[in-house]
Amino acid sequence: MTDSEEFMYDEAQPQRHRTVMLAAFEGWNDAGQVATGALNHLVSMYGDTSQEVGHICCGTFFDYTTTRPVMVNVQGRRKIMWPEITFTEIQVNPSLTLLVEIGPEPNFKWTEFSQRSLALAEEREVDEVITLGSMFADCVHTRPLPTYFSNSANNTADENSYTGPIGIPSVLNFAAVDNGFTTHSLWVSVPSYAQYIDAQENPLGMLRVIEALGEYLGVELKTGALPVLALKWKTQADMLATVHEDVATYIQNAEKYYDDEQKRQALSPDATLQLISETEKFLRGFNGEDTAEE
């Protein structure tokens, strides 16, 4: 993800109505449930101005032995809830509508699934598609979590470009570009040691996603209780460092390296990306890991 952009919004330009599709999927692309958690948060916060407008629920796309249906109780009766993708339309304000796509990552027929998703986007007159993802990385909770915002139409590759396995967000991005949509990708990194905190969700990462989206869209999205939950999560991370000397040393070294680099570099978008890459290489070396790109 090297094609980074600054979040840009020109308040001097006259506002026109925009419909933006936001998509996030559970599983491999969703470390700490940050991406799907952020979108579920938006659906909850704008419940009075939102409505479900579509679903994708079909065995054609899911392997039920890996993405299993679950039994739930609904008004005193048992019911099977099948894996499905839900589309919810949110009226944020008179000039902005969000079409939120959330669900488990499909197991099969990704190209067909992407076309199904984009067909509904066209039906709802979507102007732009933004896919969201989160990943465990070499960063710390005591510094701003790194975000990567890229224009999916720019396929320029260089020596720092990612190569390796991808998930459904990348496939959906390519399909959206091919279908003529303005398309972006937003990823946030969360500390790798977050896996050892007794919490499935990472509200610190969710808050960062909400803030980044609001900055790009030019609106102040509702954060609700996320700031408080994020503070509690940071407290848990602080406690983890007090009982694990290796984690504490890791955090201290990462903070020093990050702070020193910030002092030396003017943080243009290219410099920021380079700093993130160098920090990750340094921390992998500190952990005794191979610094070769995976």
Side-chain angles (χ1 to χ4, degrees), residues 109-124:
K109 299 185 177 181
W110 282 7
T111 54
E112 180 181 338
F113 173 85
S114 297
Q115 293 304 324
R116 285 276 298 271
S117 297
L118 295 173
L120 196 141
E122 290 181 356
E123 178 184 321
R124 307 309 296 187

Side-chain angles (χ1 to χ4, degrees), residues 155-172:
N155 276 327
T156 304
D158 58 32
E159 61 181 10
N160 294 317
S161 298
Y162 172 78
T163 58
I166 59 172
I168 188 63
S170 297
V171 176
L172 182 57

